[in-house]
Amino acid sequence: MWHDDIAVTLDDSQTIRTILPTTLVNFSSSLFHHLASLTNIHIPLDHPVWGLLEKHVYALPNPPPPRTRPPNKPMQVLCVGLPRSGTESLQQALLTLGYDHTYHGWDIVYDDEVHSPTWVKIARMKWYPDTLSNSPKDVRITAAEFDSVLGHAQAVTDAAASCFAAEIIAAYPDAKVILNMRRDVEGWHKSVVGTLVRANQSWGFWIASWLDRECFWAWHVYERFLWTGLFRATDGDLRKAVERNGRGVYHEHHAMIRGLVPKERLLEWYIDDGWEPLCRFLGKPVPPPGVPFPHANAANGGWKTREEQCNKRWVDQAFLNLIMVLGWLG
């Protein structure tokens, strides 16, 4: 769950009494538990209701302008390995080697500017082109469209690359490609279940997504589009899809990358390979012995920190908004 404290708060009436007026305890507890049951409701993403929500109800009042790529700052490195395959460690390593900025999947939702609606548009181009007005069915995602969110980046890793691997490899034909992997498929699968699936089952975060505009887009882009698309959760149930398809997606994704990218443009790399093969492939000097290879985003380390960042940025405020509304209604 994205917010373990909220999980307890919403499930324990004694704790609820510490944050809500007594007269609202029974109502709020009942409301939360009824809302929790709605997380399993699946509305197809080509349904018109999503157009209403995206374009009107949750539209950003002042969306940032699209990014553009400076001519002297081309995209250089595409790290297309699946999430939970050392993606944040690889991001930090590339930053150390001078690739500034290296864009990670966390940037999709934690960017200083809110570009997640554009990522939803790009996801629609890949998986739901018919839902885009005046869009042909055979949609190609161009470098300009990727640059509208990645124009400031020289390298990209995690979901932004892996979920759009075929498209981003074609869009940036001069960029080098790194296929970051884990040697233990079962360990990777367990990590996905303990992070991505756990977040997807957070009814606290799901409720918060309806109460805060930025939180809506964070949930919308990842939980309805990127993870469900990557793991083929056609019914919206990510847990079942990861259990059913996860290992197959892992092997198929790697095979696809090997088939798309010439050997001289591709590095197959594992997190325990460290600096040397990475630097040799990129033509960069190996950092001195005093600079260890970064190890970020363990499920109980970096991931937990990101969950807490999510709580502070959206979830806590969303529930405060709800408490104020309930207080006003009471």
Side-chain angles (χ1 to χ4, degrees), residues 223-271:
E223 308 305 335
R224 295 196 183 98
F225 282 95
L226 299 189
W227 296 150
T228 54
L230 180 65
F231 291 104
R232 302 169 190 157
T234 54
D235 60 355
D237 191 328
L238 183 63
R239 182 190 61 80
K240 288 197 302 185
V242 169
E243 184 58 39
R244 180 179 60 241
N245 307 325
R247 297 167 184 83
V249 167
Y250 182 88
H251 293 296
E252 186 179 276
H253 183 82
H254 295 169
M256 177 188 71
I257 300 303
R258 294 179 181 120
L260 286 174
V261 185
K263 290 185 177 181
E264 63 274 12
R265 189 186 165 198
L266 176 66
L267 171 67
E268 296 189 22
W269 180 88
Y270 297 93
I271 185 69

Side-chain angles (χ1 to χ4, degrees), residues 40-103:
N40 294 324
I41 294 177
H42 175 62
I43 302 175
L45 288 169
D46 56 358
H47 192 283
V49 69
W50 295 116
L52 174 66
L53 295 174
E54 292 171 8
K55 296 175 183 177
H56 301 285
V57 178
Y58 292 98
L60 299 179
N62 298 296
R67 290 182 170 127
T68 57
R69 181 168 298 281
N72 62 344
K73 197 174 182 179
M75 179 66 77
Q76 297 186 51
V77 185
L78 308 173
C79 306
V80 295
L82 292 170
R84 311 310 301 164
S85 299
T87 60
E88 193 165 2
S89 299
L90 192 51
Q91 178 206 30
Q92 293 183 14
L94 292 173
L95 288 168
T96 300
L97 295 176
Y99 294 96
D100 191 13
H101 178 58
T102 297
Y103 193 98

Side-chain angles (χ1 to χ4, degrees), residues 276-325:
E276 290 192 8
L278 181 66
C279 293
R280 184 168 58 248
F281 177 68
L282 298 175
K284 297 283 188 177
V286 177
V291 181
F293 195 88
H295 290 281
N297 207 17
N300 294 321
W303 179 269
K304 187 68 175 178
T305 300
R306 293 296 188 173
E307 286 185 328
E308 292 170 356
Q309 185 178 357
C310 163
N311 300 335
K312 292 177 181 178
R313 182 160 180 167
W314 302 307
V315 179
D316 289 349
Q317 184 58 50
F319 277 92
L320 286 174
N321 292 344
L322 179 58
I323 290 169
M324 286 189 292
V325 170

Side-chain angles (χ1 to χ4, degrees), residues 1-2 32 34-41 50 199-211 215-216 219 223-224 315 319:
M1 187 163 186
W2 282 68
F32 290 144
H34 279 86
L35 286 174
S37 67
L38 298 179
T39 58
N40 294 324
I41 294 177
W50 295 116
N200 180 264
Q201 293 179 317
S202 167
W203 62 268
F205 185 37
W206 179 83
I207 294 171
S209 73
W210 298 108
L211 304 173
C215 191
F216 168 83
W219 179 275
E223 308 305 335
R224 295 196 183 98
V315 179
F319 277 92

Side-chain angles (χ1 to χ4, degrees), residues 138-197:
D138 183 17
V139 175
R140 306 296 173 92
I141 306 173
T142 66
E145 284 152 342
F146 280 120
D147 283 347
S148 68
V149 285
L150 299 173
H152 62 314
Q154 293 181 297
V156 58
T157 183
D158 198 63
S162 59
C163 291
F164 304 98
E167 294 81 5
I168 206 167
I169 288 169
Y172 300 111
D174 296 325
K176 293 186 175 182
V177 179
I178 297 172
L179 178 56
N180 45 297
M181 299 175 287
R182 293 192 36 181
R183 300 185 191 277
D184 179 9
V185 177
E186 290 305 314
W188 170 83
H189 188 269
K190 181 178 179 181
S191 180
V192 169
V193 171
T195 54
L196 308 187
V197 172

